[in-house]
Amino acid sequence: AQSVTQLGSHVSVSEGALVLLRCNYSSSVPPYLFWYVQYPNQGLQLLLKYTSAATLVKGINGFEAEFKKSETSFHLTKPSAHMSDAAEYFCAVSEGFQKLVFGTGTRLLVSP
Amino acid sequence: DAGVIQSPRHEVTEMGQEVTLRCKPISGHDYLFWYRQTMMRGLELLIYFNNNVPIDDSGMPEDRFSAKMPNASFSTLKIQPSEPRDSAVYFCASSLAGTDEKLFFGSGTQLSVL
């Protein structure tokens, strides 16, 4: 069965600093991988997705993620954090059939 | 489109009472999912439907939980009887086949069982 592990339940950065949120996956078949973002009191929104095309995936709000098969990783990055990026971020994996398995989430805190 | 609509936004009930959560998916979407979010367990898939038919209910915690989708535009998640440990945020999401599994989430129902 597929699964994802997100390292760090909380990540704190200063405004303007690099954002790096880590995700490792486990899957028996080539996976689909996703990053979703959840703002307070809202549902999850798709940031970006990897579906076996280019290994570097660009998403909304300046985020990107790189699929590394050798490391079974799909880390999320943003060169310069903005206060509005403060939210909870979820990595997810799917082996098809519309069924996603989510990680436990990483809360990103951005300080001025 | 208005997106996925869930009601109520907040529900406070007493232990033993029946709770019904409602969801209207995005028109034309053929998959509907119910997730539960807690601090301890994160986001868990409870059940999902394809074309109104339950496909996988292995995440439903126990027989107190049931879900129905009588038509393409409406689904319910029922808990009877409710218990304090059911307190969580319940999300409904929908998606369209062939779109690389992009899920659209509702705003959730915050359930508190006292």
Side-chain angles (χ1 to χ4, degrees):
Chain A
Q2 68 271 36
S3 66
V4 290
T5 301
Q6 292 186 241
L7 298 177
S9 58
H10 292 79
V11 170
S12 295
V13 300
S14 299
E15 193 172 20
L18 171 72
V19 176
L20 171 62
L21 305 182
R22 299 177 186 274
C23 173
N24 289 87
Y25 70 91
S26 172
S27 177
S28 58
V29 300
Y32 290 176
L33 293 161
F34 306 80
W35 277 99
Y36 280 79
V37 60
Q38 184 181 29
Y39 298 102
N41 300 314
Q42 295 185 27
L44 281 70
Q45 304 171 36
L46 181 66
L47 262 183
L48 50 82
K49 61 183 179 183
Y50 166 77
T51 56
S52 75
T55 56
L56 182 63
V57 182
K58 295 187 183 298
I60 61 173
N61 301 337
F63 284 93
E64 62 182 35
E66 186 172 9
F67 173 70
K68 292 187 177 180
K69 184 178 178 180
S70 61
E71 299 177 8
T72 62
S73 69
F74 190 59
H75 302 330
L76 182 70
T77 60
K78 182 174 181 178
S80 176
H82 192 274
M83 295 295 290
S84 61
D85 295 327
E88 188 147 19
Y89 293 80
F90 292 87
C91 183
V93 64
S94 171
E95 293 180 350
F97 310 112
Q98 300 283 337
K99 184 178 176 180
L100 271 65
V101 174
F102 286 86
T104 51
T106 298
R107 184 166 298 277
L108 177 65
L109 307 170
V110 183
S111 56
Chain B
D1 199 311
V4 176
I5 300 173
Q6 292 186 246
S7 63
R9 284 299 307 272
H10 303 274
E11 176 79 36
V12 180
T13 191
E14 294 188 347
M15 183 174 63
Q17 296 298 306
E18 177 179 297
V19 175
T20 299
L21 312 181
R22 297 173 175 79
C23 175
K24 176 179 167 55
I26 292 174
S27 177
H29 281 192
D30 47 4
Y31 283 85
L32 183 139
F33 305 80
W34 283 100
Y35 282 88
R36 178 172 68 176
Q37 185 178 37
T38 61
M39 290 289 291
M40 293 298 295
R41 301 173 67 92
L43 203 61
E44 305 172 275
L45 176 63
L46 300 178
I47 185 171
Y48 77 98
F49 297 82
N50 178 218
N51 292 323
N52 313 337
V53 176
I55 302 301
D56 184 348
D57 65 355
S58 59
M60 296 286 262
E62 47 196 278
D63 291 346
R64 297 185 296 107
F65 286 70
S66 62
K68 294 181 179 179
M69 193 165 185
N71 57 63
S73 59
F74 184 66
S75 177
T76 60
L77 178 68
K78 186 176 293 186
I79 308 173
Q80 166 63 16
S82 58
E83 297 182 2
R85 60 194 168 121
D86 301 331
S87 298
V89 181
Y90 292 81
F91 287 103
C92 177
S94 69
S95 69
L96 183 63
T99 58
D100 296 329
E101 289 135 317
K102 178 179 179 179
L103 268 62
F104 292 82
F105 281 79
S107 299
T109 295
Q110 173 78 58
L111 174 64
S112 298
V113 183
L114 307 178

